[in-house]
Short mmCIF file of all heavy atoms in Angstrom, two decimals:
data_model
loop_
_atom_site.label_atom_id
_atom_site.label_comp_id
_atom_site.label_asym_id
_atom_site.label_seq_id
_atom_site.Cartn_x
_atom_site.Cartn_y
_atom_site.Cartn_z
N VAL A 57 -115.83 74.37 -103.16
CA VAL A 57 -114.73 73.41 -103.24
C VAL A 57 -113.59 73.83 -102.31
O VAL A 57 -113.00 73.00 -101.61
CB VAL A 57 -114.23 73.27 -104.69
CG1 VAL A 57 -112.88 72.55 -104.74
CG2 VAL A 57 -115.25 72.52 -105.53
N TYR A 58 -113.29 75.11 -102.29
CA TYR A 58 -112.26 75.67 -101.41
C TYR A 58 -112.53 75.31 -99.94
O TYR A 58 -111.66 74.81 -99.23
CB TYR A 58 -112.26 77.18 -101.62
CG TYR A 58 -111.25 77.99 -100.83
CD1 TYR A 58 -109.98 77.54 -100.55
CD2 TYR A 58 -111.59 79.28 -100.40
CE1 TYR A 58 -109.06 78.32 -99.85
CE2 TYR A 58 -110.68 80.08 -99.71
CZ TYR A 58 -109.43 79.59 -99.44
OH TYR A 58 -108.53 80.37 -98.75
N LEU A 59 -113.76 75.54 -99.51
CA LEU A 59 -114.13 75.26 -98.12
C LEU A 59 -114.11 73.76 -97.82
O LEU A 59 -113.55 73.33 -96.81
CB LEU A 59 -115.54 75.82 -97.84
CG LEU A 59 -115.73 77.33 -98.00
CD1 LEU A 59 -117.21 77.68 -97.89
CD2 LEU A 59 -114.94 78.08 -96.95
N ILE A 60 -114.71 72.98 -98.71
CA ILE A 60 -114.85 71.54 -98.46
C ILE A 60 -113.50 70.84 -98.53
O ILE A 60 -113.21 69.94 -97.73
CB ILE A 60 -115.83 70.91 -99.46
CG1 ILE A 60 -117.24 71.51 -99.30
CG2 ILE A 60 -115.90 69.39 -99.27
CD1 ILE A 60 -117.84 71.35 -97.92
N VAL A 61 -112.64 71.23 -99.47
CA VAL A 61 -111.32 70.60 -99.58
C VAL A 61 -110.47 70.92 -98.35
O VAL A 61 -109.73 70.05 -97.87
CB VAL A 61 -110.61 71.02 -100.88
CG1 VAL A 61 -109.15 70.58 -100.88
CG2 VAL A 61 -111.33 70.42 -102.09
N THR A 62 -110.57 72.14 -97.84
CA THR A 62 -109.87 72.47 -96.58
C THR A 62 -110.35 71.55 -95.47
O THR A 62 -109.53 70.99 -94.71
CB THR A 62 -110.13 73.94 -96.19
OG1 THR A 62 -109.73 74.80 -97.25
CG2 THR A 62 -109.34 74.30 -94.93
N TRP A 63 -111.64 71.38 -95.36
CA TRP A 63 -112.25 70.50 -94.36
C TRP A 63 -111.77 69.06 -94.55
O TRP A 63 -111.33 68.41 -93.59
CB TRP A 63 -113.77 70.61 -94.52
CG TRP A 63 -114.61 69.89 -93.50
CD1 TRP A 63 -114.18 69.06 -92.49
CD2 TRP A 63 -116.04 69.93 -93.40
NE1 TRP A 63 -115.26 68.58 -91.78
CE2 TRP A 63 -116.41 69.11 -92.31
CE3 TRP A 63 -117.03 70.58 -94.12
CZ2 TRP A 63 -117.74 68.92 -91.94
CZ3 TRP A 63 -118.36 70.40 -93.74
CH2 TRP A 63 -118.70 69.58 -92.67
N LEU A 64 -111.84 68.56 -95.79
CA LEU A 64 -111.40 67.20 -96.08
C LEU A 64 -109.93 66.99 -95.74
O LEU A 64 -109.54 65.98 -95.15
CB LEU A 64 -111.63 66.88 -97.56
CG LEU A 64 -113.03 66.46 -98.00
CD1 LEU A 64 -113.14 66.47 -99.51
CD2 LEU A 64 -113.39 65.08 -97.45
N THR A 65 -109.11 67.97 -96.12
CA THR A 65 -107.67 67.85 -95.88
C THR A 65 -107.36 67.73 -94.40
O THR A 65 -106.54 66.89 -93.98
CB THR A 65 -106.93 69.06 -96.48
OG1 THR A 65 -107.18 69.12 -97.88
CG2 THR A 65 -105.42 68.94 -96.25
N MET A 66 -108.02 68.54 -93.60
CA MET A 66 -107.77 68.51 -92.15
C MET A 66 -108.21 67.18 -91.55
O MET A 66 -107.58 66.67 -90.62
CB MET A 66 -108.45 69.69 -91.48
CG MET A 66 -107.86 71.02 -91.91
SD MET A 66 -108.49 72.46 -91.03
CE MET A 66 -107.59 72.32 -89.48
N THR A 67 -109.27 66.60 -92.09
CA THR A 67 -109.70 65.29 -91.57
C THR A 67 -108.81 64.16 -92.10
O THR A 67 -108.57 63.18 -91.41
CB THR A 67 -111.17 65.01 -91.93
OG1 THR A 67 -111.37 65.15 -93.35
CG2 THR A 67 -112.10 65.99 -91.21
N VAL A 68 -108.30 64.30 -93.35
CA VAL A 68 -107.36 63.30 -93.88
C VAL A 68 -106.11 63.23 -93.02
O VAL A 68 -105.59 62.14 -92.73
CB VAL A 68 -107.00 63.62 -95.34
CG1 VAL A 68 -105.77 62.83 -95.78
CG2 VAL A 68 -108.17 63.32 -96.27
N PHE A 69 -105.63 64.38 -92.56
CA PHE A 69 -104.42 64.43 -91.74
C PHE A 69 -104.67 63.98 -90.30
O PHE A 69 -103.72 63.82 -89.54
CB PHE A 69 -103.83 65.84 -91.74
CG PHE A 69 -102.90 66.11 -92.88
CD1 PHE A 69 -103.38 66.52 -94.12
CD2 PHE A 69 -101.53 65.96 -92.74
CE1 PHE A 69 -102.53 66.77 -95.18
CE2 PHE A 69 -100.65 66.21 -93.79
CZ PHE A 69 -101.16 66.62 -95.02
N SER A 70 -105.93 63.77 -89.93
CA SER A 70 -106.23 63.44 -88.54
C SER A 70 -106.64 61.98 -88.33
O SER A 70 -107.03 61.60 -87.22
CB SER A 70 -107.36 64.35 -88.02
OG SER A 70 -108.59 64.06 -88.66
N ILE A 71 -106.57 61.15 -89.39
CA ILE A 71 -107.10 59.79 -89.25
C ILE A 71 -106.17 58.85 -88.49
O ILE A 71 -106.61 57.82 -88.01
CB ILE A 71 -107.46 59.17 -90.62
CG1 ILE A 71 -106.29 59.22 -91.59
CG2 ILE A 71 -108.68 59.83 -91.21
CD1 ILE A 71 -106.57 58.57 -92.94
N GLU A 72 -104.87 59.19 -88.38
CA GLU A 72 -103.96 58.34 -87.60
C GLU A 72 -103.62 58.97 -86.26
O GLU A 72 -103.52 60.20 -86.15
CB GLU A 72 -102.65 58.11 -88.36
CG GLU A 72 -102.79 57.23 -89.58
CD GLU A 72 -102.76 58.03 -90.86
OE1 GLU A 72 -102.46 59.24 -90.79
OE2 GLU A 72 -103.06 57.46 -91.92
N GLU A 73 -103.44 58.11 -85.28
CA GLU A 73 -102.90 58.57 -84.01
C GLU A 73 -101.40 58.82 -84.17
O GLU A 73 -100.78 58.39 -85.15
CB GLU A 73 -103.14 57.50 -82.93
CG GLU A 73 -104.60 57.22 -82.64
CD GLU A 73 -105.32 58.40 -82.00
OE1 GLU A 73 -104.63 59.22 -81.35
OE2 GLU A 73 -106.55 58.49 -82.14
N GLU A 74 -100.81 59.51 -83.22
CA GLU A 74 -99.40 59.87 -83.30
C GLU A 74 -98.51 58.63 -83.40
O GLU A 74 -97.56 58.60 -84.18
CB GLU A 74 -99.01 60.70 -82.08
CG GLU A 74 -97.74 61.51 -82.23
CD GLU A 74 -97.86 62.62 -83.26
OE1 GLU A 74 -98.98 63.07 -83.56
OE2 GLU A 74 -96.80 63.04 -83.79
N SER A 75 -98.84 57.58 -82.63
CA SER A 75 -98.02 56.36 -82.64
C SER A 75 -98.11 55.66 -84.01
O SER A 75 -97.11 55.19 -84.55
CB SER A 75 -98.48 55.41 -81.54
OG SER A 75 -99.87 55.11 -81.69
N GLU A 76 -99.32 55.62 -84.58
CA GLU A 76 -99.50 54.99 -85.89
C GLU A 76 -98.76 55.77 -86.97
O GLU A 76 -98.19 55.18 -87.90
CB GLU A 76 -101.00 54.92 -86.22
CG GLU A 76 -101.30 54.14 -87.49
CD GLU A 76 -102.78 54.07 -87.79
OE1 GLU A 76 -103.58 54.60 -86.99
OE2 GLU A 76 -103.13 53.49 -88.84
N LYS A 77 -98.73 57.08 -86.83
CA LYS A 77 -98.03 57.92 -87.80
C LYS A 77 -96.54 57.60 -87.82
O LYS A 77 -95.94 57.49 -88.90
CB LYS A 77 -98.26 59.40 -87.45
CG LYS A 77 -97.67 60.36 -88.47
CD LYS A 77 -98.11 61.80 -88.20
CE LYS A 77 -97.44 62.35 -86.98
NZ LYS A 77 -97.73 63.81 -86.81
N HIS A 78 -95.94 57.40 -86.65
CA HIS A 78 -94.51 57.10 -86.59
C HIS A 78 -94.21 55.70 -87.14
O HIS A 78 -93.13 55.48 -87.72
CB HIS A 78 -94.01 57.24 -85.15
CG HIS A 78 -93.90 58.67 -84.71
ND1 HIS A 78 -92.91 59.50 -85.15
CD2 HIS A 78 -94.68 59.42 -83.89
CE1 HIS A 78 -93.05 60.71 -84.61
NE2 HIS A 78 -94.13 60.68 -83.85
N ILE A 79 -95.14 54.77 -86.99
CA ILE A 79 -94.98 53.44 -87.58
C ILE A 79 -94.97 53.56 -89.11
O ILE A 79 -94.16 52.92 -89.80
CB ILE A 79 -96.10 52.49 -87.12
CG1 ILE A 79 -95.96 52.20 -85.63
CG2 ILE A 79 -96.10 51.20 -87.93
CD1 ILE A 79 -97.12 51.45 -85.02
N LEU A 80 -95.86 54.41 -89.63
CA LEU A 80 -95.91 54.63 -91.08
C LEU A 80 -94.63 55.30 -91.58
O LEU A 80 -94.16 55.00 -92.68
CB LEU A 80 -97.13 55.49 -91.44
CG LEU A 80 -98.48 54.79 -91.31
CD1 LEU A 80 -99.63 55.80 -91.45
CD2 LEU A 80 -98.62 53.70 -92.36
N PHE A 81 -94.06 56.21 -90.78
CA PHE A 81 -92.77 56.82 -91.14
C PHE A 81 -91.72 55.74 -91.37
O PHE A 81 -90.95 55.79 -92.34
CB PHE A 81 -92.29 57.77 -90.04
CG PHE A 81 -93.05 59.06 -89.92
CD1 PHE A 81 -92.91 59.85 -88.79
CD2 PHE A 81 -93.90 59.48 -90.94
CE1 PHE A 81 -93.60 61.05 -88.68
CE2 PHE A 81 -94.60 60.68 -90.83
CZ PHE A 81 -94.44 61.46 -89.69
N VAL A 82 -91.68 54.77 -90.47
CA VAL A 82 -90.68 53.70 -90.55
C VAL A 82 -90.91 52.85 -91.80
O VAL A 82 -89.97 52.53 -92.54
CB VAL A 82 -90.73 52.82 -89.28
CG1 VAL A 82 -89.80 51.62 -89.44
CG2 VAL A 82 -90.36 53.64 -88.05
N HIS A 83 -92.17 52.48 -92.06
CA HIS A 83 -92.48 51.63 -93.22
C HIS A 83 -92.19 52.35 -94.53
O HIS A 83 -91.71 51.72 -95.49
CB HIS A 83 -93.96 51.21 -93.18
CG HIS A 83 -94.23 50.08 -92.23
ND1 HIS A 83 -93.84 48.78 -92.50
CD2 HIS A 83 -94.84 50.04 -91.03
CE1 HIS A 83 -94.20 47.99 -91.50
NE2 HIS A 83 -94.81 48.74 -90.58
N LEU A 84 -92.47 53.64 -94.57
CA LEU A 84 -92.26 54.40 -95.80
C LEU A 84 -90.79 54.75 -96.01
O LEU A 84 -90.35 54.98 -97.14
CB LEU A 84 -93.09 55.69 -95.78
CG LEU A 84 -94.61 55.50 -95.89
CD1 LEU A 84 -95.33 56.80 -95.55
CD2 LEU A 84 -94.98 55.05 -97.29
N GLY A 85 -90.04 54.80 -94.91
CA GLY A 85 -88.61 55.10 -95.00
C GLY A 85 -88.29 56.56 -95.22
O GLY A 85 -87.12 56.94 -95.31
N ASN A 86 -89.32 57.39 -95.30
CA ASN A 86 -89.11 58.82 -95.56
C ASN A 86 -90.35 59.59 -95.11
O ASN A 86 -91.47 59.28 -95.56
CB ASN A 86 -88.86 59.05 -97.06
CG ASN A 86 -88.39 60.46 -97.35
OD1 ASN A 86 -88.78 61.42 -96.69
ND2 ASN A 86 -87.55 60.60 -98.37
N LYS A 87 -90.17 60.56 -94.25
CA LYS A 87 -91.31 61.34 -93.75
C LYS A 87 -92.00 62.13 -94.85
O LYS A 87 -93.19 62.38 -94.80
CB LYS A 87 -90.85 62.27 -92.62
CG LYS A 87 -90.32 61.55 -91.41
CD LYS A 87 -89.86 62.54 -90.35
CE LYS A 87 -89.31 61.80 -89.13
NZ LYS A 87 -88.06 61.09 -89.43
N LYS A 88 -91.22 62.51 -95.87
CA LYS A 88 -91.80 63.27 -96.97
C LYS A 88 -92.81 62.42 -97.74
O LYS A 88 -93.82 62.94 -98.23
CB LYS A 88 -90.70 63.75 -97.92
CG LYS A 88 -89.82 64.85 -97.34
CD LYS A 88 -88.79 65.31 -98.36
CE LYS A 88 -87.90 66.40 -97.77
NZ LYS A 88 -86.88 66.85 -98.75
N ARG A 89 -92.57 61.12 -97.84
CA ARG A 89 -93.50 60.24 -98.55
C ARG A 89 -94.85 60.20 -97.83
O ARG A 89 -95.90 60.09 -98.48
CB ARG A 89 -92.92 58.83 -98.66
CG ARG A 89 -91.74 58.74 -99.60
CD ARG A 89 -91.22 57.31 -99.69
NE ARG A 89 -90.06 57.22 -100.55
CZ ARG A 89 -89.36 56.12 -100.75
NH1 ARG A 89 -89.72 54.99 -100.11
NH2 ARG A 89 -88.31 56.11 -101.55
N TYR A 90 -94.81 60.27 -96.53
CA TYR A 90 -96.05 60.30 -95.75
C TYR A 90 -96.85 61.55 -96.12
O TYR A 90 -98.06 61.48 -96.39
CB TYR A 90 -95.72 60.30 -94.26
CG TYR A 90 -96.92 60.45 -93.34
CD1 TYR A 90 -97.65 59.34 -92.92
CD2 TYR A 90 -97.31 61.71 -92.89
CE1 TYR A 90 -98.74 59.49 -92.08
CE2 TYR A 90 -98.40 61.86 -92.05
CZ TYR A 90 -99.11 60.75 -91.64
OH TYR A 90 -100.19 60.91 -90.80
N LEU A 91 -96.18 62.69 -96.16
CA LEU A 91 -96.83 63.95 -96.50
C LEU A 91 -97.34 63.92 -97.94
O LEU A 91 -98.48 64.33 -98.22
CB LEU A 91 -95.84 65.10 -96.31
CG LEU A 91 -96.36 66.52 -96.60
CD1 LEU A 91 -97.51 66.89 -95.67
CD2 LEU A 91 -95.22 67.53 -96.48
N TRP A 92 -96.52 63.42 -98.87
CA TRP A 92 -96.94 63.34 -100.27
C TRP A 92 -98.13 62.41 -100.44
O TRP A 92 -99.02 62.67 -101.25
CB TRP A 92 -95.79 62.85 -101.14
CG TRP A 92 -94.60 63.77 -101.16
CD1 TRP A 92 -94.60 65.13 -100.87
CD2 TRP A 92 -93.24 63.43 -101.46
NE1 TRP A 92 -93.33 65.64 -100.97
CE2 TRP A 92 -92.47 64.63 -101.34
CE3 TRP A 92 -92.60 62.26 -101.83
CZ2 TRP A 92 -91.09 64.65 -101.57
CZ3 TRP A 92 -91.23 62.28 -102.07
CH2 TRP A 92 -90.50 63.47 -101.93
N GLY A 93 -98.14 61.31 -99.68
CA GLY A 93 -99.27 60.39 -99.73
C GLY A 93 -100.56 61.04 -99.24
O GLY A 93 -101.64 60.83 -99.81
N LYS A 94 -100.44 61.84 -98.20
CA LYS A 94 -101.60 62.59 -97.69
C LYS A 94 -102.11 63.56 -98.76
O LYS A 94 -103.31 63.67 -99.00
CB LYS A 94 -101.22 63.35 -96.42
CG LYS A 94 -100.98 62.48 -95.21
CD LYS A 94 -102.29 61.92 -94.67
CE LYS A 94 -102.09 61.20 -93.35
NZ LYS A 94 -103.35 60.63 -92.83
N TRP A 95 -101.18 64.28 -99.38
CA TRP A 95 -101.56 65.24 -100.41
C TRP A 95 -102.21 64.52 -101.60
O TRP A 95 -103.20 65.01 -102.14
CB TRP A 95 -100.34 66.03 -100.88
CG TRP A 95 -99.95 67.13 -99.94
CD1 TRP A 95 -100.74 67.71 -98.98
CD2 TRP A 95 -98.69 67.80 -99.87
NE1 TRP A 95 -100.05 68.70 -98.32
CE2 TRP A 95 -98.78 68.78 -98.85
CE3 TRP A 95 -97.49 67.69 -100.57
CZ2 TRP A 95 -97.72 69.63 -98.51
CZ3 TRP A 95 -96.43 68.52 -100.24
CH2 TRP A 95 -96.56 69.49 -99.22
N ALA A 96 -101.66 63.37 -101.98
CA ALA A 96 -102.22 62.62 -103.11
C ALA A 96 -103.66 62.19 -102.79
O ALA A 96 -104.53 62.23 -103.66
CB ALA A 96 -101.36 61.40 -103.41
N THR A 97 -103.90 61.78 -101.55
CA THR A 97 -105.25 61.40 -101.12
C THR A 97 -106.20 62.59 -101.25
O THR A 97 -107.33 62.46 -101.74
CB THR A 97 -105.23 60.91 -99.67
OG1 THR A 97 -104.30 59.82 -99.55
CG2 THR A 97 -106.61 60.43 -99.23
N CYS A 98 -105.74 63.75 -100.83
CA CYS A 98 -106.54 64.97 -100.94
C CYS A 98 -106.80 65.33 -102.40
O CYS A 98 -107.89 65.78 -102.75
CB CYS A 98 -105.85 66.14 -100.23
SG CYS A 98 -105.65 65.90 -98.45
N PHE A 99 -105.78 65.11 -103.26
CA PHE A 99 -105.95 65.40 -104.69
C PHE A 99 -107.05 64.52 -105.29
O PHE A 99 -107.84 64.99 -106.12
CB PHE A 99 -104.65 65.15 -105.45
CG PHE A 99 -103.55 66.13 -105.14
CD1 PHE A 99 -102.22 65.76 -105.30
CD2 PHE A 99 -103.83 67.41 -104.69
CE1 PHE A 99 -101.19 66.66 -105.02
CE2 PHE A 99 -102.81 68.32 -104.41
CZ PHE A 99 -101.49 67.94 -104.57
N VAL A 100 -107.10 63.25 -104.88
CA VAL A 100 -108.11 62.33 -105.42
C VAL A 100 -109.51 62.83 -105.08
O VAL A 100 -110.39 62.92 -105.95
CB VAL A 100 -107.90 60.91 -104.86
CG1 VAL A 100 -109.09 60.01 -105.22
CG2 VAL A 100 -106.61 60.31 -105.40
#
Side-chain angles (χ1 to χ4, degrees):
V57 166
Y58 181 36
L59 299 172
I60 298 301
V61 169
T62 303
W63 185 356
L64 279 168
T65 301
M66 295 186 77
T67 54
V68 165
F69 273 85
S70 68
I71 54 177
E72 291 104 9
E73 297 293 335
E74 199 67 23
S75 57
E76 187 179 358
K77 185 171 72 172
H78 286 287
I79 292 171
L80 288 170
F81 287 166
V82 174
H83 280 288
L84 291 168
N86 190 327
K87 297 179 181 67
K88 290 182 181 180
R89 290 181 182 176
Y90 175 87
L91 182 62
W92 297 338
K94 289 288 187 181
W95 281 341
T97 304
C98 297
F99 291 154
V100 170

